[in-house]
Amino acid sequence: MGIALLRGCCLAALVLLLQTPMALAASAAEPLEQRLANWPSWSLPAPLPRPGQRDLLYPEWFAGRWQATNHDPSGMEPDLQYEVRFNLDPQGEVVGDRAFNAAAIGSALLGDQLLQVRNDPLNPNRQLALLSGDQRLESTVVGRRSAQTSDSCFLADELALQVLHGPGDPRVSRVETLSRYRLVQPDRIEAEQWQASYGSPAEGLAGEARRSWRGQLVLERLD
């Protein structure tokens, strides 16, 4: 949120001082709740600011190692199990171990087709996956919004640009994933996830969702 005039800046600062943390959380969550209410009729552009070089920060109750189980309520896809990790960054804030987590999910989905996942050392929002058949999947988060609406509830929405390199021309798509996490016990997090895929930005920045998916995720603490 930008304020152009000095008077506007002072007023905004005063409002921030007067607001309670929960009021700020509710304000930040409003676009995400509206996005959720519109699913599966999602389209781009989405209300997701560009993340720059900032990683997604999680509540402190995410820190550690977890056994993850993905469940498809439709029954069309089998349950997936894998390990995920959330670590402290140099500032002491909780972030996902993106390369490890992406490799764990990718291995559960693709098996031996996934060879390796690398982080971009200059950008925490970019990973490169090496695949069999001389293919490479480049994934970059280009939009993000998150909000902690209570001590035990956290919302996060990310839009990723995915480029698959290999034989022939690169294939480009965009994938948006909105997750609502709830801490139900100290060692258990339950989440609902909503996802939509879109065409390449070359077809226009605006676009309707081509495919939609909804699933459930359970994290059980390992350490």
Side-chain angles (χ1 to χ4, degrees), residues 15-213:
V15 170
L16 288 174
L17 287 173
L18 293 175
Q19 284 179 307
T20 66
M22 188 54 66
L24 290 173
S27 176
E30 186 175 347
L32 296 178
E33 296 287 2
Q34 184 61 50
R35 191 67 168 167
L36 181 54
N38 291 338
W39 191 90
S41 300
W42 283 359
S43 62
L44 295 179
L48 304 175
R50 297 188 67 85
Q53 301 296 311
R54 299 182 302 276
D55 205 343
L56 174 60
L57 303 180
Y58 290 85
E60 61 181 14
W61 35 267
F62 269 86
R65 297 169 53 242
W66 302 82
Q67 178 73 26
T69 302
N70 265 119
H71 174 65
D72 181 359
S74 72
M76 298 182 64
E77 300 291 340
D79 288 355
L80 297 175
Q81 290 192 327
Y82 47 89
E83 181 182 335
V84 292
R85 299 175 183 173
F86 297 87
N87 306 321
L88 298 182
D89 67 9
Q91 288 72 45
E93 295 178 298
V94 179
V95 296
D97 188 337
R98 285 189 177 266
F100 179 90
N101 295 348
I105 298 169
S107 294
L109 282 169
L110 303 174
D112 294 340
Q113 295 181 60
L114 178 66
L115 304 179
Q116 186 182 20
V117 178
R118 300 174 182 168
N119 280 329
D120 183 337
L122 301 179
N123 185 355
N125 298 308
R126 180 176 178 271
Q127 283 75 43
L128 181 66
L130 304 181
L131 307 172
S132 61
D134 195 27
Q135 298 184 96
R136 294 174 293 117
L137 178 63
E138 178 185 344
S139 180
T140 306
V141 177
V142 295
R144 174 188 297 132
R145 187 182 294 273
S146 64
Q148 186 168 355
T149 57
S150 72
D151 289 342
S152 59
C153 185
F154 177 68
L155 287 165
D157 193 1
E158 290 191 319
L159 177 66
L161 176 68
Q162 297 187 335
V163 183
L164 181 63
H165 303 272
D169 294 333
R171 286 177 282 173
V172 184
S173 63
R174 290 167 289 180
V175 177
E176 180 182 355
T177 305
L178 193 160
S179 303
R180 180 167 59 197
Y181 301 94
R182 298 185 188 277
L183 180 68
V184 296
Q185 297 175 8
D187 296 330
R188 184 181 176 92
I189 298 171
E190 296 181 357
E192 295 178 272
Q193 296 185 307
W194 297 263
Q195 191 173 83
S197 60
Y198 310 89
S200 167
E203 301 172 13
L205 295 180
E208 300 295 323
R210 294 183 173 180
R211 289 182 298 276
S212 299
W213 173 85

